[in-house]
Amino acid sequence: MDGFGIRIEGLRKRYGEGDTVVDALKEVNMTVAPGEVVGLIGPSGSGKTTLLKCLGAVIEPTAGRMTLGDEVIYDDGWKISDLKALRRDRIGFVFQAPYLIPFLDVTDNIALLPMLAGRPNGAARQRALELLEALDVGHRARAEPSQLSGGEQQRVAIARALANQPPVILADEPTAPLDSERALAVIRILNRMARQYDTAVIVVTHDEKIIPTFKRIYHIRDGTTREEAGEGREV
């Protein structure tokens, strides 16, 4: 994929009208290249969650422009008719909690999205097994989520996010419940997977353990963004 995995230009989001108006996003600009993992940090109420919801096509911005890969998905209005398919096929989500389906085994938790996208069951499960092996949890393929450790569950969640080979992954506090060793392992995996699959990754975090690992960081405060170089510490 050429160019940018993610490009956000002049993004705004306003809630309410008149005396109750709130500008959650005022002027957000951001670019993330394919294969790059970028940190997004800021205090509570700064607009991080709103930005992720806009980029994930969960809520509609008020103005601005968003591009995924080589396609404009929003330009003062949605340019994609099927937002559900956009979320399913082109955006991977990793959350603070893994949200695995308890009555499906690990393989089927990952294979479900490709199946819903129309991929044959056998091919979807094969893709799931390949991802599990890549993430060093292939031996847990038939386990139920309740049988996994917290770190294993988060690896499965990352595999699920990669299942449809999306150009973008949005990770919202993915290391918050983990200790230092497991948190750094998750970031190591995200970096490796980003490079391997040419995926652009945004990690929203307050986690001081992982912030030094980012080569680029976007600070968001009062609905506006500022970019700075990170330490890019090896993990």
Side-chain angles (χ1 to χ4, degrees):
M1 182 168 53
D2 297 324
F4 287 99
I6 304 169
R7 182 190 289 271
I8 302 170
E9 302 167 272
L11 199 70
R12 302 180 180 217
K13 176 60 181 176
R14 171 172 286 185
Y15 293 103
E17 296 180 358
D19 293 340
T20 64
V21 70
V22 175
D23 288 309
L25 300 177
K26 298 176 183 176
E27 182 71 21
V28 171
N29 298 284
M30 178 183 293
T31 58
V32 186
E36 183 180 26
V37 179
V38 166
L40 177 64
I41 64 176
S44 297
S46 59
K48 300 188 302 298
T49 298
T50 298
L51 175 55
L52 277 199
K53 287 181 176 179
C54 289
L55 188 53
V58 176
I59 62 174
E60 183 171 359
T62 302
R65 182 181 173 97
M66 298 191 297
T67 305
L68 296 187
D70 58 358
E71 184 175 11
V72 176
I73 64 166
Y74 182 88
D75 191 356
D76 293 337
W78 292 113
K79 302 303 179 184
I80 301 290
S81 58
D82 191 343
L83 294 180
K84 182 179 179 180
L86 173 70
R87 290 189 295 268
R88 183 191 65 214
D89 300 337
R90 301 188 59 196
I91 304 170
F93 297 91
V94 181
F95 303 100
Q96 179 174 337
Y99 295 118
L100 302 177
I101 300 173
F103 53 84
L104 295 181
D105 69 19
V106 163
T107 302
D108 283 344
N109 262 278
I110 299 166
L112 181 61
L113 275 180
M115 289 178 188
L116 291 174
R119 199 165 184 173
N121 290 5
R125 288 192 171 89
Q126 183 58 38
R127 167 72 174 164
L129 292 171
E130 290 169 0
L131 287 167
L132 288 169
E133 288 294 336
L135 292 166
D136 299 323
V137 281
H139 62 293
R140 307 297 266 157
R142 293 303 176 191
E144 296 179 357
S146 62
Q147 298 172 309
L148 305 181
S149 69
E152 288 173 335
Q153 288 184 23
Q154 202 63 311
R155 288 177 186 231
V156 173
I158 292 170
R160 181 182 56 195
L162 289 162
N164 279 332
Q165 294 182 280
V168 170
I169 286 182
L170 307 177
D172 191 4
E173 299 283 2
T175 64
L178 304 177
D179 61 29
S180 294
E181 181 179 350
R182 289 181 174 84
L184 291 173
V186 165
I187 292 302
R188 190 180 305 118
I189 288 166
L190 285 174
N191 276 281
R192 176 160 53 91
M193 296 292 103
R195 291 191 298 268
Q196 183 173 342
Y197 297 108
D198 239 9
T199 306
V201 182
I202 295 177
V203 179
V204 171
T205 189
H206 289 99
D207 192 344
E208 297 291 340
K209 301 186 294 291
I210 68 171
I211 289 174
T213 69
F214 299 115
K215 293 181 179 178
R216 288 200 303 131
I217 295 171
Y218 282 93
H219 292 266
I220 185 166
R221 181 179 291 273
D222 298 328
T224 62
T225 48
R226 172 177 58 85
E227 180 188 354
E228 71 173 29
E231 294 181 36
R233 189 179 301 172
E234 292 292 330
V235 292

